[in-house]
Amino acid sequence: ALSFKVGGASRSQLQSSLMKRFLNLQPGARDGLENGHIIAAMTDDVEELVGCGYMMLLKCFDGAGMLLAVAIFQLTAPVVFDKPAKWQILAALLVCPCILMIFMVIRTPYVTKVGVEHKVKHCKLLSWISFIVNNYRIIVDYSATASCVTDCEGQIAAYNGADVSNSQVMLNNTYFSPWLAIISVCTYMWYGGRKIIEDPDGSLTLGMFLANLSVIKTVGDNH
């Protein structure tokens, strides 16, 4: 993906378009925008849009291809090895996405709230820093250094608090899918292990059992 230079070209196009749009705004609209909003949009927002949009789309295609290969394997393996079809693994392919979808629906409002608060605090901090840099001579001449530092520390503390909350939410979201995969693997180990021991006709072989474990782990990793 990096060799295609699509990511860099996308960022350049978005940043250039944002700057052109800003310069062609009406004076009243342009004066209403804080410096921090422009800086955040040109840097963090563009990077997030390209990184979480285009680049993640390629990962989605990779995961979808992997899941398709797993589904084909599960459908054809009983025929190739002359064993009865086992639909439990195919059910897992549907159950895991459904659980993750429910998790996403439940978490989206809170994730959006925390993300918006993080963006607002970040823009306020950038605007305050820009204000101090642009007006430092006036601040020094009027001996307002101490009050500016105090106000800046307040902005920094507010941003750090929002950043910690946002990082905690993102970390919890990241760990949900691997933990779901671990729980699914443990459940199938209990079910499949008992099946191997108790099933006299050998419908579930040790090789298929190990392959199914790998399949379940792959499903969890690719969500």
Side-chain angles (χ1 to χ4, degrees), residues 6-18 42 46 50:
V6 177
S10 300
R11 284 189 293 270
S12 299
Q13 181 65 34
L14 289 171
Q15 290 168 337
S16 176
S17 299
L18 283 172
M42 292 282 292
V46 169
V50 175

Coordinates of all heavy atoms in Angstrom, one line a residue, residues 6-18 42 46 50:
V6 N -0.7 6.2 -2.5 CA -2.0 6.7 -2.5 C -2.3 7.4 -1.2 O -2.9 8.5 -1.1 CB -3.0 5.5 -2.6 CG1 -4.5 6.0 -2.5 CG2 -2.8 4.8 -3.9
G7 N -1.7 7.0 -0.1 CA -1.8 7.6 1.2 C -1.3 9.0 1.2 O -2.0 10.0 1.6
G8 N -0.1 9.2 0.7 CA 0.5 10.5 0.6 C -0.2 11.5 -0.3 O -0.4 12.6 0.0
A9 N -0.6 10.9 -1.5 CA -1.4 11.8 -2.4 C -2.7 12.2 -1.8 O -3.2 13.3 -2.0 CB -1.6 11.0 -3.7
S10 N -3.3 11.3 -1.1 CA -4.6 11.6 -0.5 C -4.5 12.7 0.6 O -5.3 13.6 0.6 CB -5.3 10.4 0.2 OG -5.5 9.3 -0.8
R11 N -3.4 12.6 1.4 CA -3.2 13.6 2.4 C -2.9 15.0 1.8 O -3.4 16.0 2.2 CB -2.1 13.2 3.3 CG -2.4 12.1 4.4 CD -1.3 11.9 5.4 NE -0.1 11.3 4.7 CZ 0.1 10.0 4.6 NH1 -0.8 9.2 5.1 NH2 1.2 9.6 4.0
S12 N -2.1 15.0 0.7 CA -1.7 16.2 0.0 C -3.0 16.9 -0.6 O -3.2 18.1 -0.5 CB -0.7 15.9 -1.0 OG 0.5 15.4 -0.5
Q13 N -3.8 16.1 -1.2 CA -5.0 16.6 -1.8 C -6.0 17.2 -0.8 O -6.5 18.3 -1.0 CB -5.7 15.5 -2.6 CG -7.0 15.9 -3.3 CD -6.7 16.9 -4.4 OE1 -5.6 16.9 -5.1 NE2 -7.6 17.9 -4.6
L14 N -6.2 16.5 0.3 CA -7.1 17.0 1.4 C -6.5 18.3 2.0 O -7.3 19.2 2.2 CB -7.3 15.9 2.4 CG -8.1 14.7 2.0 CD1 -8.1 13.6 3.1 CD2 -9.6 15.1 1.8
Q15 N -5.2 18.3 2.3 CA -4.6 19.4 3.0 C -4.7 20.6 2.0 O -5.0 21.8 2.5 CB -3.2 19.1 3.4 CG -3.1 18.1 4.6 CD -1.7 17.6 4.8 OE1 -0.9 17.6 3.9 NE2 -1.5 17.1 6.0
S16 N -4.4 20.4 0.8 CA -4.4 21.5 -0.2 C -5.8 22.1 -0.4 O -6.0 23.3 -0.4 CB -3.8 21.0 -1.5 OG -4.0 22.0 -2.5
S17 N -6.8 21.2 -0.4 CA -8.2 21.6 -0.6 C -8.7 22.3 0.6 O -9.4 23.3 0.5 CB -9.1 20.4 -0.8 OG -8.7 19.7 -2.0
L18 N -8.3 21.9 1.8 CA -8.7 22.6 3.0 C -8.1 24.0 3.1 O -8.8 25.0 3.4 CB -8.2 21.8 4.3 CG -9.0 20.6 4.7 CD1 -8.3 19.8 5.8 CD2 -10.4 21.0 5.1
M42 N -5.8 20.4 9.4 CA -4.8 20.2 8.4 C -3.8 19.1 8.7 O -3.2 18.5 7.9 CB -4.0 21.5 8.2 CG -4.8 22.6 7.6 SD -4.9 22.4 5.8 CE -3.2 22.6 5.3
V46 N -6.8 15.1 8.9 CA -6.5 14.5 7.6 C -5.7 13.2 7.8 O -6.0 12.2 7.1 CB -5.6 15.5 6.8 CG1 -5.0 14.8 5.6 CG2 -6.4 16.7 6.4
V50 N -7.3 9.6 6.4 CA -6.6 8.7 5.4 C -6.2 7.4 6.1 O -6.3 6.3 5.5 CB -5.3 9.4 4.9 CG1 -4.5 8.5 4.0 CG2 -5.7 10.7 4.1

